Coordinates of all heavy atoms in Angstrom, one line a residue:
G3 N 0.8 -1.2 0.0 CA 0.0 0.0 0.0 C 0.9 1.2 0.0 O 2.0 1.2 0.4
L4 N 0.2 2.3 -0.4 CA 1.0 3.6 -0.5 C 1.4 4.2 0.9 O 2.4 4.7 1.0 CB 0.1 4.6 -1.2 CG 0.0 4.7 -2.8 CD1 -1.1 5.5 -3.3 CD2 1.4 5.0 -3.4
R5 N 0.4 4.0 1.8 CA 0.6 4.6 3.2 C 1.7 3.9 3.8 O 2.6 4.4 4.5 CB -0.7 4.4 4.0 CG -0.5 5.1 5.4 CD -1.9 4.9 6.1 NE -2.8 5.6 5.5 CZ -4.2 5.2 5.7 NH1 -4.6 4.4 6.6 NH2 -5.2 5.9 5.0
A6 N 1.8 2.6 3.7 CA 2.8 1.8 4.3 C 4.2 2.0 3.8 O 5.2 1.8 4.4 CB 2.4 0.2 4.3
N7 N 4.2 2.3 2.5 CA 5.5 2.4 1.8 C 5.8 3.8 1.2 O 6.4 3.9 0.2 CB 5.6 1.4 0.7 CG 5.4 -0.1 1.2 OD1 6.3 -0.6 1.9 ND2 4.3 -0.7 0.9
W8 N 5.3 4.8 1.9 CA 5.4 6.2 1.3 C 6.8 6.7 1.0 O 6.9 7.4 0.1 CB 4.5 7.1 2.0 CG 5.0 7.4 3.4 CD1 4.8 6.9 4.6 CD2 5.9 8.5 3.7 NE1 5.4 7.5 5.6 CE2 6.1 8.5 5.1 CE3 6.5 9.6 2.8 CZ2 7.0 9.4 5.7 CZ3 7.3 10.4 3.5 CH2 7.5 10.4 4.9
R9 N 7.7 6.3 1.9 CA 9.0 6.8 1.7 C 9.7 6.3 0.4 O 10.2 7.1 -0.4 CB 9.8 6.5 2.9 CG 9.5 7.2 4.2 CD 10.4 6.7 5.4 NE 10.1 7.5 6.6 CZ 9.1 7.1 7.5 NH1 8.4 5.9 7.2 NH2 8.9 7.8 8.6
Q10 N 9.6 5.0 0.3 CA 10.2 4.4 -1.0 C 9.5 4.8 -2.1 O 10.0 5.1 -3.3 CB 10.2 2.9 -0.8 CG 11.5 2.4 -0.1 CD 12.8 2.6 -0.9 OE1 13.0 2.1 -2.0 NE2 13.7 3.3 -0.2
F11 N 8.2 4.9 -2.0 CA 7.3 5.2 -3.2 C 7.6 6.8 -3.6 O 7.8 7.0 -4.8 CB 5.8 5.2 -2.8 CG 4.9 5.4 -4.0 CD1 4.5 4.3 -4.7 CD2 4.5 6.6 -4.4 CE1 3.6 4.4 -5.8 CE2 3.6 6.8 -5.5 CZ 3.1 5.6 -6.2
T12 N 7.8 7.6 -2.6 CA 8.1 9.1 -2.9 C 9.4 9.1 -3.5 O 9.7 9.9 -4.5 CB 8.0 9.9 -1.6 OG1 6.8 9.8 -1.1 CG2 8.3 11.3 -2.0
L13 N 10.4 8.4 -3.2 CA 11.8 8.4 -3.7 C 11.7 7.9 -5.2 O 12.4 8.5 -6.0 CB 12.6 7.5 -2.8 CG 14.0 7.2 -3.4 CD1 14.8 8.6 -3.4 CD2 14.9 6.2 -2.6
L14 N 11.0 6.9 -5.4 CA 10.8 6.5 -6.9 C 10.1 7.4 -7.7 O 10.5 7.6 -8.9 CB 10.1 5.1 -6.8 CG 10.8 3.9 -6.2 CD1 10.0 2.7 -6.0 CD2 11.9 3.5 -7.2
V15 N 9.1 8.2 -7.1 CA 8.5 9.3 -7.9 C 9.4 10.3 -8.3 O 9.5 10.8 -9.5 CB 7.4 9.9 -7.1 CG1 6.8 11.2 -7.7 CG2 6.2 8.9 -7.0
L16 N 10.4 10.7 -7.3 CA 11.4 11.7 -7.6 C 12.3 11.2 -8.7 O 12.7 11.9 -9.6 CB 12.2 12.0 -6.3 CG 13.4 12.9 -6.4 CD1 12.9 14.2 -6.9 CD2 14.2 13.0 -5.1
I17 N 12.8 9.9 -8.6 CA 13.7 9.3 -9.5 C 13.0 9.4 -10.9 O 13.7 9.6 -11.9 CB 14.2 7.9 -9.2 CG1 15.1 8.1 -7.8 CG2 14.8 7.2 -10.2 CD1 15.5 6.7 -7.2
N18 N 11.8 9.0 -10.9 CA 11.1 9.0 -12.2 C 11.1 10.3 -12.8 O 10.9 10.5 -14.1 CB 9.7 8.4 -12.2 CG 9.3 7.8 -13.6 OD1 10.1 7.0 -14.1 ND2 8.2 8.2 -14.1
G19 N 11.0 11.4 -12.0 CA 11.2 12.8 -12.5 C 12.5 13.0 -13.2 O 12.5 13.6 -14.3
F20 N 13.5 12.5 -12.6 CA 14.8 12.7 -13.3 C 14.8 11.9 -14.7 O 15.3 12.4 -15.7 CB 15.9 12.0 -12.4 CG 16.1 12.7 -11.1 CD1 16.6 12.0 -10.0 CD2 15.7 14.1 -11.0 CE1 16.8 12.6 -8.8 CE2 15.9 14.6 -9.7 CZ 16.5 13.9 -8.7
V21 N 14.1 10.8 -14.7 CA 14.1 9.9 -15.9 C 13.4 10.7 -17.0 O 13.8 10.8 -18.2 CB 13.3 8.6 -15.7 CG1 13.2 7.8 -17.0 CG2 14.0 7.7 -14.6
G22 N 12.2 11.3 -16.7 CA 11.4 12.1 -17.6 C 12.2 13.3 -18.1 O 12.1 13.7 -19.3
G23 N 12.9 14.0 -17.2 CA 13.7 15.0 -17.6 C 14.7 14.8 -18.6 O 15.1 15.7 -19.5
M24 N 15.3 13.5 -18.7 CA 16.2 13.2 -19.7 C 15.7 13.2 -21.1 O 16.3 13.5 -22.1 CB 16.9 11.8 -19.4 CG 17.7 11.8 -18.2 SD 19.2 12.8 -18.3 CE 20.2 12.0 -19.6
V25 N 14.3 12.8 -21.2 CA 13.6 13.0 -22.6 C 13.4 14.3 -22.9 O 13.4 14.8 -24.0 CB 12.4 12.1 -22.6 CG1 11.8 12.1 -23.9 CG2 12.7 10.6 -22.1
G26 N 13.1 15.2 -21.9 CA 12.7 16.5 -22.1 C 13.8 17.4 -22.7 O 13.7 18.4 -23.3
L27 N 15.1 16.9 -22.4 CA 16.2 17.5 -23.0 C 16.0 17.7 -24.6 O 16.6 18.6 -25.2 CB 17.5 16.7 -22.8 CG 18.1 16.6 -21.5 CD1 19.2 15.7 -21.5 CD2 18.7 18.0 -21.1
E28 N 15.3 16.8 -25.2 CA 15.4 16.7 -26.7 C 14.1 17.3 -27.3 O 14.0 17.4 -28.5 CB 15.6 15.3 -27.1 CG 16.8 14.8 -26.6 CD 17.1 13.4 -27.3 OE1 16.3 12.6 -27.5 OE2 18.4 13.2 -27.7
R29 N 13.1 17.6 -26.5 CA 11.8 17.9 -27.1 C 11.8 19.3 -27.9 O 11.1 19.3 -28.9 CB 10.7 18.1 -25.9 CG 10.3 16.7 -25.3 CD 9.3 16.1 -26.3 NE 9.1 14.8 -25.8 CZ 8.0 14.0 -26.1 NH1 7.0 14.6 -26.8 NH2 7.8 12.8 -25.8
T30 N 12.5 20.2 -27.5 CA 12.5 21.5 -28.2 C 13.7 21.6 -29.0 O 13.6 22.1 -30.3 CB 12.6 22.6 -27.2 OG1 11.5 22.4 -26.2 CG2 12.5 23.9 -27.8
V31 N 14.9 21.2 -28.6 CA 16.2 21.6 -29.3 C 16.7 20.7 -30.4 O 17.2 21.1 -31.4 CB 17.3 21.8 -28.2 CG1 18.6 22.1 -28.8 CG2 16.8 22.8 -27.1
V32 N 16.6 19.4 -30.2 CA 17.2 18.5 -31.1 C 16.7 18.5 -32.5 O 17.6 18.6 -33.5 CB 17.2 17.0 -30.6 CG1 17.6 16.0 -31.6 CG2 18.1 16.9 -29.4
P33 N 15.4 18.7 -32.8 CA 15.0 18.9 -34.2 C 15.5 20.1 -34.8 O 15.8 20.1 -36.0 CB 13.4 18.8 -34.1 CG 13.1 18.1 -32.8 CD 14.2 18.4 -31.9
L34 N 15.7 21.1 -34.0 CA 16.2 22.4 -34.5 C 17.7 22.2 -34.8 O 18.2 22.8 -35.8 CB 16.0 23.5 -33.6 CG 14.5 23.7 -33.3 CD1 14.3 24.9 -32.2 CD2 13.7 24.1 -34.5
I35 N 18.4 21.5 -34.0 CA 19.8 21.3 -34.3 C 19.9 20.5 -35.6 O 20.8 20.8 -36.4 CB 20.5 20.3 -33.1 CG1 20.6 21.1 -31.9 CG2 21.9 19.8 -33.6 CD1 21.1 20.3 -30.7
A36 N 19.1 19.6 -35.9 CA 19.1 18.9 -37.2 C 19.0 19.8 -38.3 O 19.8 19.7 -39.4 CB 18.1 17.8 -37.3
E37 N 18.2 20.8 -38.3 CA 18.0 21.7 -39.5 C 19.1 22.8 -39.5 O 19.7 23.1 -40.4 CB 16.6 22.4 -39.4 CG 15.5 21.5 -39.9 CD 14.2 22.3 -40.2 OE1 14.1 23.4 -39.6 OE2 13.5 21.9 -41.0
Q38 N 19.3 23.4 -38.3 CA 20.0 24.7 -38.3 C 21.5 24.4 -38.2 O 22.4 25.2 -38.7 CB 19.6 25.4 -37.1 CG 18.2 26.0 -37.3 CD 17.7 26.8 -36.1 OE1 18.4 27.5 -35.4 NE2 16.4 26.9 -35.9
E39 N 22.0 23.3 -37.5 CA 23.4 23.1 -37.4 C 23.9 22.1 -38.5 O 25.1 22.1 -38.9 CB 23.7 22.6 -36.0 CG 23.6 23.7 -35.0 CD 24.3 23.4 -33.6 OE1 25.1 22.5 -33.6 OE2 24.1 24.2 -32.6
F40 N 23.2 21.0 -38.7 CA 23.6 20.0 -39.6 C 23.0 20.1 -41.0 O 23.3 19.3 -41.9 CB 23.3 18.6 -39.1 CG 24.1 18.3 -37.8 CD1 23.5 18.2 -36.5 CD2 25.5 18.3 -37.8 CE1 24.2 17.9 -35.4 CE2 26.3 18.1 -36.6 CZ 25.6 17.8 -35.4
G41 N 22.1 21.1 -41.2 CA 21.5 21.3 -42.5 C 20.7 20.1 -43.0 O 20.7 20.0 -44.4
L42 N 20.1 19.3 -42.2 CA 19.3 18.2 -42.7 C 18.0 18.8 -43.4 O 17.3 19.5 -42.7 CB 19.0 17.2 -41.6 CG 20.3 16.6 -41.0 CD1 19.9 15.6 -39.9 CD2 21.1 15.9 -42.1
V43 N 17.5 18.2 -44.4 CA 16.3 18.6 -45.0 C 15.3 17.5 -45.0 O 14.1 17.7 -44.7 CB 16.6 19.0 -46.6 CG1 15.2 19.2 -47.3 CG2 17.5 20.2 -46.6
S44 N 15.7 16.3 -45.2 CA 14.7 15.0 -45.2 C 14.1 14.9 -43.9 O 14.9 14.8 -42.9 CB 15.5 13.8 -45.6 OG 14.6 12.7 -45.4
R45 N 12.7 14.9 -43.7 CA 12.2 14.7 -42.5 C 12.4 13.2 -42.0 O 12.5 13.0 -40.7 CB 10.6 14.9 -42.6 CG 10.1 16.2 -43.3 CD 10.8 17.3 -42.5 NE 10.3 18.7 -43.2 CZ 10.9 19.8 -43.0 NH1 12.0 19.9 -42.2 NH2 10.5 20.9 -43.4
T46 N 12.5 12.3 -42.9 CA 12.9 10.9 -42.5 C 14.3 10.9 -41.8 O 14.4 10.2 -40.7 CB 12.9 10.0 -43.6 OG1 11.6 10.0 -44.4 CG2 13.2 8.6 -43.3
V47 N 15.2 11.6 -42.3 CA 16.5 11.6 -41.7 C 16.5 12.3 -40.3 O 17.1 11.9 -39.4 CB 17.6 12.2 -42.6 CG1 18.9 12.4 -41.8 CG2 17.7 11.4 -43.9

């Protein structure tokens, strides 16, 4: 149960925040790097 294991559960919630943040690194910038720094045109590439 959540109440009995709240300390470990909360720690795992925090850690999953770090996990999600690693994907957030790329949501805005990486597609723009492809176009603006490497000059890629093909959407497939």
Side-chain angles (χ1 to χ4, degrees):
L4 281 173
R5 184 182 301 162
N7 300 292
W8 69 268
R9 290 182 179 85
Q10 277 292 299
F11 190 93
T12 302
L13 176 61
L14 290 167
V15 168
L16 175 64
I17 289 172
N18 205 54
F20 299 152
V21 179
M24 292 298 293
V25 183
L27 283 175
E28 303 192 316
R29 285 281 168 157
T30 303
V31 178
V32 171
L34 301 179
I35 291 174
E37 277 197 336
Q38 297 178 24
E39 291 199 6
F40 294 115
L42 300 181
V43 176
S44 168
R45 308 308 183 193
T46 303
V47 175

